[in-house]
């Protein structure tokens, strides 16, 4: 029996460690029949080492989503490898240290602008860079952390994720006529490299210990990876502009 991504070609960003949600999305995508290509920044060599743990070899392209030259060359580099694309996974987020960890009221705009550019605007710029390769439609899937709430220590990454969620909805509106779906997975906290960059991450993660209806494991990125693969597949043909929660159900619980 073939996998749900059989014949699909997918670009995946954000594979930094084996504990990354993006790594598990890449692994599951290959297991489900997809051909994939990875992008990485600022250390492509790190991603190349991690990529060796995937079921099949895959090419890694250096891509800084805030660099217009990198974006301009992306389609040609991907086309050389895969010919075209059926899916894009946006697993990119960054905020300077002074935009995190309880410094919300004192963060300078320059740091806020960086967080917004890399974490939110890049969903649009990455998708537009890949658009020439998606002639037959496709699926764009991003990763958010529920922006309905103000989380401990998360500070300006919260508004950046809110901007990401709004960007996804507007992209769904404008790309639907090209049969391109744009959705997000809202994942619970995972002990990834990104999490380690957030001061006081343990305070944020502790919320899941007391409020999540389903037991949540900080060391298990696979559920979120499965959600990404499902949205990349043809099993959600008319779903766009959606946010699917893979968070143990915490989003539904008031207290």
């Amino acid at each position: 029996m073939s996998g749900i991504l059989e014949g699909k070609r997918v670009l995946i960003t954000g594979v930094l460690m084996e504990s990354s949600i993006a790594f598990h999305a890449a692994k599951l995508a290959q297991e489900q029949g997809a051909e994939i290509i990875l992008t990485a920044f600022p250390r492509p060599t790190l991603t190349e080492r991690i990529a060796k743990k995937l079921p099949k070899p895959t090419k890694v392209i250096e891509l800084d989503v805030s660099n217009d030259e990198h974006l301009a060359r992306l389609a040609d580099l991907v086309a050389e490898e895969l010919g075209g694309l059926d899916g894009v996974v946006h697993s990119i987020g960054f905020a300077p240290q002074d935009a995190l960890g309880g410094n919300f009221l004192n963060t300078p705009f320059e740091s806020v602008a960086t967080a917004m550019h890399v974490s939110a605007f890049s969903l649009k710029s990455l998708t537009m860079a890949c658009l020439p390769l998606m002639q037959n439609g496709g699926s764009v899937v991003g990763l958010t952390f529920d922006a309905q709430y103000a989380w401990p220590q998360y500070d300006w990454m919260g508004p950046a994720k809110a901007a990401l969620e709004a960007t996804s909805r507007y992209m769904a509106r404008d790309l639907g006529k090209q049969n391109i779906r744009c959705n997000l997975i809202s994942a619970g906290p995972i002990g990834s490299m990104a999490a380690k960059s957030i001061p006081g991450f343990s305070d944020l993660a502790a919320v899941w210990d007391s409020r999540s209806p389903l037991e949540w494991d900080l060391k298990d990125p696979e559920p979120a990876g499965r959600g990404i693969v499902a949205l990349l597949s043809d099993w959600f043909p008319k779903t766009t502009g959606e946010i699917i929660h893979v968070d143990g159900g915490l989003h539904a619980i008031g207290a």
Side-chain angles (χ1 to χ4, degrees):
M1 181 174 158
S2 61
I4 63 172
L5 295 186
E6 195 67 40
K8 302 288 188 187
R9 300 157 298 176
V10 181
L11 179 144
I12 300 176
T13 66
V15 175
L16 296 176
M17 301 172 66
E18 201 169 349
S19 60
S20 302
I21 292 172
F23 173 86
H24 285 265
K27 177 176 178 288
L28 289 163
Q30 285 189 333
E31 290 173 353
Q32 290 299 317
E35 292 182 82
I36 69 169
I37 193 165
L38 306 180
T39 73
F41 189 80
R43 295 172 61 193
T45 53
L46 174 61
T47 297
E48 286 169 355
R49 287 201 299 271
I50 298 300
K52 291 177 181 177
K53 299 182 179 182
L54 291 170
K56 300 175 185 176
T58 183
K59 185 177 179 64
V60 177
I61 297 173
E62 182 180 22
L63 175 65
D64 174 1
V65 288
S66 64
N67 184 316
D68 289 340
E69 291 181 4
H70 282 202
L71 290 166
R73 74 188 187 198
L74 181 62
D76 288 341
L77 293 174
V78 175
E80 288 175 11
E81 192 72 15
L82 299 181
L85 283 174
D86 304 288
V88 175
V89 176
H90 179 280
S91 180
I92 300 169
F94 172 77
Q97 283 296 300
D98 62 356
L100 299 165
N103 197 47
F104 185 85
L105 297 178
N106 300 309
T107 303
F109 176 72
E110 291 77 14
S111 296
V112 174
T114 297
M116 291 290 179
H117 190 173
V118 177
S119 307
F121 182 78
S122 65
L123 179 66
K124 193 278 297 187
S125 55
L126 174 65
T127 302
M128 294 306 293
C130 294
L131 195 61
L133 303 175
M134 303 178 77
Q135 295 299 312
N136 298 315
S139 176
V140 177
V141 184
L143 276 169
T144 188
F145 189 74
D146 202 331
Q148 297 179 86
Y149 307 107
W151 297 102
Q153 312 298 330
Y154 207 49
D155 291 355
W156 281 100
M157 276 302 293
K161 290 297 188 184
L164 174 74
E165 293 177 6
T167 299
S168 179
R169 288 189 287 270
Y170 278 91
M171 285 176 51
R173 181 195 69 181
D174 290 350
L175 294 176
K177 58 184 174 290
Q178 298 177 55
N179 197 31
I180 294 173
R181 297 169 283 125
C182 191
N183 297 289
L184 300 177
I185 292 291
S186 182
I190 297 294
S192 62
M193 182 178 287
K196 292 176 181 177
S197 69
I198 302 173
F201 173 76
S202 59
D203 295 339
L204 188 157
V207 175
W208 266 255
D209 292 336
S210 59
R211 287 178 50 201
S212 177
L214 297 175
E215 184 178 358
W216 186 255
D217 185 353
L218 290 171
K219 298 178 181 178
D220 186 9
E222 186 169 319
R226 284 175 177 257
I228 291 170
V229 168
L231 286 173
L232 288 171
S233 79
D234 295 330
W235 284 94
F236 285 87
K238 299 299 179 184
T239 297
T240 194
E242 185 60 90
I243 301 174
I244 305 293
H245 289 81
V246 183
D247 67 348
L250 184 135
H251 71 281
I253 304 301

